[in-house]
Amino acid sequence: MLNFTFQNPTKSHFGEDQIKMIATEIPANAKVLLVYGGGSIKQNGVYDQVVNALSEHTWFEFSGIEPNPKYDTLMKAQQLIKQHDVDYLLAVGGGSVVDGCKFIAAAALFNGDDPWDILAKQTPITAALPMGAVLTLPATGSESNGNSVVTRDGHKLPFSSPIVRPQFAVLDPKVTLSLSDRQISNGVIDAFVHTIEQYLTYSVNAKVQDRFAEGLLQTLIEEGPKALAAQSNEDLEVRANIMWSATMALNGLIGAGVPQDWSTHMIGHELTGGFGIDHARTRSIVLPAVMKVKRQEKREKLVQYAERVWQITDEDETVKIDKAIAKTEAFFKQMDVPTRLSDVNISEKDIDDLVSMLEQHGMVALGEHSDITLAVSKQILEKAL
Ligand code: NZQ
Ligand code: ZN
């Protein structure tokens, strides 16, 4: 196992009707900015629950954060913050709203010249407004980590800091019942790929992390299709299992002390930035190709994945790996997400542009061995055609 320091100070309130907990989590004298997206929270009752819970607080609101949150939109919140002396942010929504809120929090107290530097130059932040989150879409783990991804002019750039990790997160599986099938699928696939990216590298004999990861993968494989199929009360248990899996997939726990390979995500960001493909739908396209192109380097872990996650018992390791990759793709198809670039109308002629975007963003040495050069990323994209 590799050395690590693990701390996750986000307090999670999990379960039905837990939104009321924000009343006690946010300091009574705080001036709160409620931050949300395109309005789904007004249709599914979440907004009303939040407003009820904030009845004793002074609060303002900022809405309109779009999926893949835009820098220009987020910067508009700064004026409100200054005008009302806001000192606490509450994100209510999916990963885009929570990520967007983190950037708003960091930009509000940024002491450099231009908050864009937080993303473009990776200028470290030294302060941010405190924030909490009410999660409405289980997928990114953003409610319990310090990561944020912001888009400007087709450039999708991440930043990360423990300073923007939400102080608390409310996870009520009931609020996910209003998600469309597309968003359910996206969430399950995003969490699945996050888990794989912290697992499918090389063995460092980290048994706990491996078995946690395998448990999350198996849970998502079991529950994901049920969430698409069922519309009954039982669904709530399915949703609860998916919701906690997504949080655990990217709250730092399974990634502590193990090598990681975020190449699928970094290549996928260019597909979202350049072509507007949903975040998770880029991952379901790129991951199988990464598995195929890097199968030699990932051999040991691919065999473990085949045996423990998919219970593949063939003697021959090559067969085992082939079957595991095929089962992964079949699962993605069952979840109704694309597995090829051609499924989203991207062809060979687009690959050079994608590779030059990777270069522009410094993504020239990806993977657990930093050996996914631009040439290898090109191979991966070609394999995904
Ligand atoms: O904007 P509203 O009206 O809220 O609608 C949203 C949005 O249209 C809707 N939605 C959310 N909860 C709902 C709902 N509709 C009905 N009922 C509900 N309960 O779903 C749509 C998509 O929401 P979005 O927040 O964009 O989805 P997701 O949670 O998948 O977030 C994607 C973003 O997270 C970033 C991605 O890059 C992308 O920008 N990521 C953040 C990460 C992190 N912070 O660690 C890691 C991820 O890998 C990812 O990069
Ligand atoms: Zn993701």
Side-chain angles (χ1 to χ4, degrees):
M1 205 184 300
L2 310 178
N3 290 357
F4 66 88
T5 301
F6 175 68
Q7 184 183 23
N8 186 331
T10 303
K11 190 198 277 189
S12 296
H13 292 287
F14 191 97
E16 241 182 286
D17 302 326
Q18 292 301 294
I19 291 177
K20 60 179 184 284
M21 299 305 286
I22 64 181
T24 46
E25 286 300 342
I26 302 177
N29 58 355
K31 288 188 186 152
V32 185
L33 186 65
L34 161 57
V35 175
Y36 60 99
S40 68
I41 63 165
K42 290 206 165 157
Q43 276 138 37
N44 60 12
V46 171
Y47 180 84
D48 291 341
Q49 289 184 61
V50 170
V51 168
N52 278 342
L54 290 176
S55 61
E56 302 292 317
H57 283 84
T58 303
W59 62 275
F60 310 90
E61 65 179 66
F62 178 76
S63 65
I65 296 184
E66 51 284 279
N68 308 309
K70 292 200 174 86
Y71 176 81
D72 293 342
T73 306
L74 302 174
M75 286 307 289
K76 287 182 189 148
Q78 300 304 326
Q79 205 188 335
L80 264 179
I81 290 172
K82 285 199 188 93
Q83 188 185 342
H84 298 295
D85 264 338
V86 165
D87 55 14
Y88 204 101
L89 303 179
L90 178 64
V92 183
S96 294
V97 169
V98 182
D99 279 16
C101 194
K102 289 174 182 173
F103 183 74
I104 293 171
L109 300 188
F110 186 59
N111 59 17
D113 294 335
D114 183 358
W116 177 239
D117 291 348
I118 298 170
L119 299 150
K121 296 187 185 161
Q122 296 288 301
T123 304
I125 57 165
T126 51
L129 291 176
M131 65 176 275
V134 175
L135 187 72
T136 62
L137 196 171
T140 60
S142 186
E143 70 282 2
S144 187
N145 69 35
N147 309 332
S148 166
V149 191
V150 175
T151 299
R152 189 182 195 184
D153 301 330
H155 299 281
K156 216 171 169 220
L157 299 177
F159 83 99
S160 191
S161 167
I163 299 172
V164 291
R165 196 191 280 264
Q167 292 186 335
F168 70 89
V170 176
L171 297 138
D172 177 350
K174 201 170 174 184
V175 312
T176 73
L177 289 174
S178 59
L179 286 168
S180 65
D181 282 358
R182 185 185 182 99
Q183 296 305 344
I184 293 168
S185 291
N186 284 357
V188 168
I189 298 304
D190 197 25
F192 186 91
V193 178
H194 293 158
T195 309
I196 287 277
E197 288 178 303
Q198 298 160 90
Y199 169 77
L200 201 63
T201 56
Y202 56 88
S203 177
V204 290
N205 199 22
K207 295 190 172 190
V208 174
Q209 294 90 324
D210 276 5
R211 289 194 164 107
F212 275 2
E214 286 152 2
L216 293 175
L217 296 171
Q218 286 179 312
T219 304
L220 292 163
I221 291 164
E222 270 171 33
E223 304 300 288
K226 289 189 206 162
L228 289 184
Q231 285 303 334
S232 65
N233 279 342
E234 280 170 17
D235 213 22
L236 217 46
E237 286 184 16
V238 169
R239 299 306 174 101
N241 281 305
I242 291 175
M243 197 167 209
W244 193 232
S245 297
T247 299
M248 293 295 284
L250 202 48
N251 68 356
L253 184 71
I254 63 165
V258 295
Q260 305 189 7
D261 169 13
W262 290 94
S263 59
T264 298
H265 261 69
M266 295 313 157
I267 297 171
H269 280 333
E270 304 307 348
L271 295 171
T272 303
F275 296 88
I277 315 291
D278 290 1
H279 176 73
R281 287 164 184 257
T282 68
R283 278 61 190 164
S284 56
I285 292 168
V286 178
L287 179 66
V290 170
M291 287 175 164
K292 288 170 196 165
V293 170
K294 301 304 287 178
R295 63 182 287 154
Q296 237 7 75
E297 294 82 349
K298 293 180 184 293
R299 188 171 184 87
E300 193 186 350
K301 271 310 202 40
L302 273 166
V303 169
Q304 183 178 323
Y305 170 65
E307 289 169 352
R308 295 201 194 165
V309 176
W310 294 108
Q311 282 81 46
I312 296 167
T313 54
D314 294 73
E315 282 290 304
D316 186 326
E317 289 196 345
T318 303
V319 174
K320 260 186 198 156
I321 293 173
D322 286 343
K323 285 191 178 173
I325 296 174
K327 284 206 176 260
T328 307
E329 288 184 300
F331 169 59
F332 289 173
K333 284 188 181 133
Q334 190 185 9
M335 291 306 294
D336 205 20
V337 292
T339 55
R340 291 286 185 279
L341 288 170
S342 50
D343 294 339
V344 293
N345 297 321
I346 296 176
S347 63
E348 199 160 6
K349 67 174 172 31
D350 302 311
I351 289 182
D352 283 344
D353 283 349
L354 288 163
V355 172
S356 69
M357 291 303 271
L358 281 167
E359 185 172 23
Q360 208 178 317
H361 297 145
M363 301 296 159
V364 295
L366 302 172
E368 65 272 27
H369 301 293
S370 302
D371 61 354
I372 302 188
T373 57
L374 292 176
V376 179
S377 288
K378 188 171 180 183
Q379 249 180 295
I380 289 167
L381 287 162
E382 283 165 354
K383 191 62 100 184
L385 279 169

